[in-house]
């Protein structure tokens, strides 16, 4: 068969011959035909719809019986071609990962429906990661990836600024990221992540990532802040533990002190020193207007940077914060040195940024009260 066989006549007139050759049982003949037909496709930039359909049908039929190496080469060649035959590209996208990945990663011919079909039917993480790395991933496709992909696949999707995530997919991604430190950085750095969901990551991530969250909070204008808080109220946080046995008694005592005007920051320090942990937590939650469980999370995990946010937002002076920090760290080596480090962070923390951050934590209290 000559290299010019496909230039002698229009492809429509040679359809019976092409179909007959494509059905040839000799693999070498079929491989040669596949190569020549591929060359003919790229050598015929102006193709009628009929010709385009014929190329797709015959190339698909030929490639289906070829070895994986041949199919992989074909996929590489057609992966970025804007007018590649849809039938061929769809077939290659559903092939083994070694064949499908370049097509799934780059082909502009694949529709969202094509991509979702691959995600749902192949069940391969390699296929899903390839889709996750496309220049653009629409929300419907991202939803399918978040539903079926593992955490490594989710990492690839979150890393892609060209991937658009729905609110629902973003919520699911954040819930999963909370339980996997490997997803912390990519989630916090995710462009376009709703700010209320970003703030849900605060208590899960390391100090450098918490600083990034505070930076994002500082950028918010009042309208953005209100919109984010409104969205966050739709996600009522799950109760994260039962109340302590002395909660009711401690609440009564704290309420009595508050009614008498004696619930002061100094009283909180006294609660800490005397070991009245429940009283301190209740008083802190009332002083900062956050829910009890958030306050307990801060104290039991000794989240002193979070405590700094609370104290800075409540306009408590640095000396009181330092007192709280030293008492909480009294069993640690070099407690005073660590407290000084956090006091420096307190000084550097912008009060307005602290108040904005605290408003996200208050969202949980408001949601629980409304539930």
């Amino acid at each position: 068969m000559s290299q010019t066989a496909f230039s002698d006549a229009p492809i429509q007139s040679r359809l019976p011959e092409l179909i007959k050759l494509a059905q040839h049982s000799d693999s070498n003949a079929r491989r040669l035909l596949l190569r020549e037909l591929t060359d003919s496709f790229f050598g015929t930039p102006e193709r009628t719809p009929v010709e385009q359909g014929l190329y797709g049908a015959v190339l698909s039929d030929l490639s289906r019986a070829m070895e994986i190496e041949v199919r992989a080469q074909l996929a590489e060649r057609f992966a970025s071609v804007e007018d590649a035959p849809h039938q061929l590209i769809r077939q290659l996208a559903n092939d083994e990962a070694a064949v499908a990945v370049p097509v799934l990663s780059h082909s502009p011919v694949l529709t969202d429906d094509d991509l979702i079909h691959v995600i749902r039917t192949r069940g391969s993480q390699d296929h899903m990661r390839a889709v996750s790395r496309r220049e653009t991933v629409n929300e419907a496709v991202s939803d399918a990836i978040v539903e079926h992909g593992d955490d490594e696949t989710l990492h690839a999707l979150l890393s892609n600024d060209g991937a658009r995530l729905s609110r629902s997919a973003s919520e699911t991604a954040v819930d999963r990221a909370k339980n996997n430190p490997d997803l912390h950085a990519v989630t916090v750095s995710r462009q376009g992540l709703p700010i209320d969901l970003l703030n849900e990551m605060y208590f899960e991530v390391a100090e450098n990532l918490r600083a990034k969250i505070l930076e994002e909070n500082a950028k918010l204008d009042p309208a953005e802040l209100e919109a984010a808080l409104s969205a966050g109220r739709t996600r009522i946080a799950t109760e994260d533990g039962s109340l302590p046995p002395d909660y009711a008694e401690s609440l009564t005592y704290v309420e009595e002190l508050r009614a008498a005007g004696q619930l002061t920051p100094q009283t909180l320090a006294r609660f800490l020193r005397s070991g009245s942990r429940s009283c301190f937590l209740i008083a802190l939650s009332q002083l900062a207007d956050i829910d009890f469980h958030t306050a307990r999370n801060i104290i039991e995990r000794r989240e002193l940077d979070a405590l700094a946010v609370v104290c800075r937002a409540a306009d408590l002076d640095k000396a009181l914060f330092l007192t709280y920090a030293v008492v909480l760290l009294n069993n640690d080596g070099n407690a005073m040195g660590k407290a000084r480090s956090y006091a420096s962070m307190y000084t550097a923390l912008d009060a307005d940024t602290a108040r904005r951050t605290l408003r996200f934590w208050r969202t949980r209290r408001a949601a629980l009260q409304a539930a």
Side-chain angles (χ1 to χ4, degrees):
M1 186 178 297
S2 69
Q3 293 294 320
T4 60
F6 292 96
S7 61
D8 294 335
I11 190 171
Q12 303 100 304
S13 66
R14 305 193 62 244
L15 177 58
E17 178 187 354
L18 291 175
I19 294 176
K20 182 177 180 180
L21 289 170
Q23 294 173 346
H24 202 289
S25 61
D26 183 82
S27 61
N28 290 329
R30 290 171 63 88
R31 187 180 295 108
L32 178 60
L33 176 60
L34 178 63
R35 185 183 305 116
E36 292 195 7
L37 191 58
T38 301
D39 291 341
S40 175
F41 177 89
F42 285 100
T44 312
E46 299 294 332
R47 293 179 296 276
T48 68
V50 173
E51 289 174 333
Q52 183 78 358
L54 292 176
Y55 274 116
V58 180
L59 284 170
S60 298
D61 185 60
L62 285 169
S63 63
R64 189 178 294 111
M66 291 292 101
E67 299 88 343
I68 190 170
E69 293 81 4
V70 176
R71 304 198 306 273
Q73 292 172 6
L74 194 68
E76 287 285 355
R77 190 164 184 185
F78 279 94
S80 301
V81 178
E82 293 185 0
D83 62 347
H86 186 209
Q87 180 178 348
L88 173 66
I89 294 301
R90 189 170 51 198
Q91 176 179 303
L92 294 172
N94 284 276
D95 206 323
E96 299 295 326
V99 177
V101 164
V103 171
L104 291 171
S105 299
H106 303 293
S107 179
V109 175
L110 292 170
T111 67
D112 285 354
D113 286 342
D114 294 331
L115 297 170
I116 292 170
H117 174 79
V118 171
I119 292 167
R120 290 178 174 168
T121 60
R122 291 293 307 187
S124 160
Q125 297 301 319
D126 288 334
H127 286 72
M128 283 184 256
R129 285 168 203 148
V131 177
S132 298
R133 298 186 179 100
R134 290 174 67 85
E135 184 176 356
T136 300
V137 184
N138 291 329
E139 284 189 3
V141 179
S142 293
D143 285 349
I145 293 172
V146 172
E147 179 182 357
H148 296 281
D150 61 16
D151 282 357
E152 185 178 345
T153 298
L154 179 59
H155 190 287
L157 183 70
L158 294 174
S159 300
N160 183 2
D161 291 336
R164 296 193 292 273
L165 271 68
S166 66
R167 171 76 192 194
S168 176
S170 296
E171 291 177 357
T172 301
V174 166
D175 288 340
R176 288 172 58 178
K178 290 177 182 178
N179 298 315
N180 186 350
D182 291 339
L183 292 173
H184 286 180
V186 71
T187 303
V188 171
S189 301
R190 168 74 188 170
Q191 291 189 12
L193 184 70
I195 194 70
D196 60 297
L197 299 182
L198 177 64
N199 275 271
E200 286 191 23
M201 295 295 297
Y202 186 90
F203 291 105
E204 313 300 330
V205 300
E207 185 175 344
N208 64 315
L209 296 177
R210 292 182 175 190
K212 289 176 68 69
I213 295 173
L214 294 179
E215 289 172 8
E216 292 301 315
N217 289 344
K219 296 176 185 177
L220 290 177
D221 64 33
E224 290 176 321
L225 177 60
E226 288 305 320
L229 290 168
S230 177
R233 291 186 186 103
T234 65
R235 265 174 68 87
I236 299 174
T238 303
E239 292 288 349
D240 54 355
S242 59
L243 296 173
D246 63 342
Y247 179 85
E249 179 183 354
S250 299
L251 178 62
T252 299
Y253 180 49
V254 170
E255 292 288 1
E256 290 173 354
L257 291 176
R258 187 173 187 174
Q262 299 176 10
L263 189 61
T264 65
Q266 290 76 14
T267 304
L268 268 68
R270 177 170 60 82
F271 286 151
L272 268 183
R273 291 194 185 97
S274 65
S276 301
R277 184 61 60 93
S278 294
C279 287
F280 176 80
L281 292 175
I282 293 169
L284 180 65
S285 66
Q286 293 192 5
L287 179 69
D289 192 25
I290 57 178
D291 70 284
F292 177 84
H293 295 292
T294 297
R296 180 166 64 179
N297 191 41
I298 292 172
I299 299 306
E300 290 187 351
R301 291 170 53 174
R302 294 193 288 187
E303 303 278 10
L304 296 190
D305 54 338
L307 183 60
V309 170
V310 171
C311 292
R312 197 78 169 94
D315 293 323
L316 300 184
D317 62 40
K318 184 170 67 175
L320 280 168
F321 168 71
L322 187 59
T323 298
Y324 297 158
V326 169
V327 174
L328 287 171
L329 293 172
N330 63 0
N331 292 326
D332 287 1
N334 193 27
M336 185 60 72
K338 291 180 180 178
R340 288 198 187 98
S341 173
Y342 282 108
S344 298
M345 183 201 68
Y346 174 93
T347 302
L349 181 61
D350 176 71
D352 187 54
T353 299
R355 283 189 285 270
R356 292 181 180 195
T357 302
L358 195 64
R359 290 189 70 182
F360 284 106
W361 301 350
R362 286 171 177 162
T363 295
R364 184 179 189 277
R365 177 177 182 139
L368 290 173
Q369 289 174 340

